[in-house]
Amino acid sequence: MITEKAIEKLKAMRKQAEINAAGNTDAQAYETSALYEYWPDIPEGTMLEAGKIVQHSDGILYRVKEGQGHQKQSTWSPDTAASLFTPIPKPEESGTEDNPIAWVEGMESEEGKYYISDGVKYLCIESSGIGLYGKPADLARYFQLVEE
């Protein structure tokens, strides 16, 4: 049986791990994704500081954009509020033609990298510098279809 003292110690250890994880690279963030708060479990009204990383139910980690700290509202979730959150690409997706990045709405595009959306591959022809809404097929300024 776990004692109250052991539970309190585990809570303190988790809190310290969360603090330590704040400086993680994107790859390290995915390796330790369990340390980041799960979006549905964050209480409404909780202040989300710029740079904070949260897990979303889609398996993607999202970062609160710089200068965009705000209070959590369930209607402004990471997967629907590109003005507040940036999806963090999974580290195993390098953006090469053989290993494209799975497109997530709200993602910033990076020139020269490859993305995949709905099973179709695209080459980014212009970095966006901002999170983009829509799919690469609808964003001709930024993406060129790769013929297979």
Side-chain angles (χ1 to χ4, degrees):
M1 179 171 189
I2 299 177
T3 65
E4 280 297 315
K5 186 175 182 180
I7 291 171
E8 289 307 311
K9 187 172 183 175
L10 288 170
K11 285 181 181 178
M13 290 169 64
R14 178 176 172 85
K15 186 65 179 169
Q16 185 59 51
E18 289 172 4
I19 291 166
N20 294 348
N24 280 349
T25 65
D26 292 349
Q28 290 168 329
Y30 271 102
E31 288 176 18
T32 59
S33 62
L35 293 176
Y36 299 98
E37 289 185 275
Y38 184 55
W39 177 256
D41 295 341
I42 300 171
E44 288 290 308
T46 299
M47 187 62 190
L48 303 172
E49 302 291 335
K52 180 176 181 69
I53 296 173
V54 298
Q55 297 182 62
H56 193 262
S57 56
D58 59 8
I60 304 291
L61 295 177
Y62 292 82
R63 180 177 286 112
V64 177
K65 289 186 175 186
E66 292 302 316
Q68 295 297 320
H70 67 100
Q71 290 184 321
K72 189 224 178 178
Q73 299 172 48
S74 58
T75 55
W76 288 38
S77 64
D79 61 328
T80 62
S83 62
L84 299 172
F85 298 94
T86 300
I88 300 172
K90 293 183 178 179
E92 64 269 15
E93 299 169 348
S94 62
T96 63
E97 188 169 6
D98 294 333
N99 188 9
I101 297 166
W103 180 254
V104 177
E105 288 197 41
M107 200 175 258
E108 294 182 19
S109 66
E110 187 176 334
E111 185 176 347
K113 291 206 172 183
Y114 290 83
Y115 296 83
I116 193 160
S117 175
D118 297 329
V120 179
K121 198 180 307 179
Y122 298 87
L123 173 62
C124 177
I125 55 175
E126 180 181 341
S127 295
S128 64
I130 59 170
L132 297 173
Y133 257 110
K135 296 185 177 197
D138 304 321
L139 300 166
R141 172 181 171 180
Y142 300 101
F143 295 101
Q144 176 182 350
L145 176 67
V146 175
E147 298 294 329
E148 301 226 3

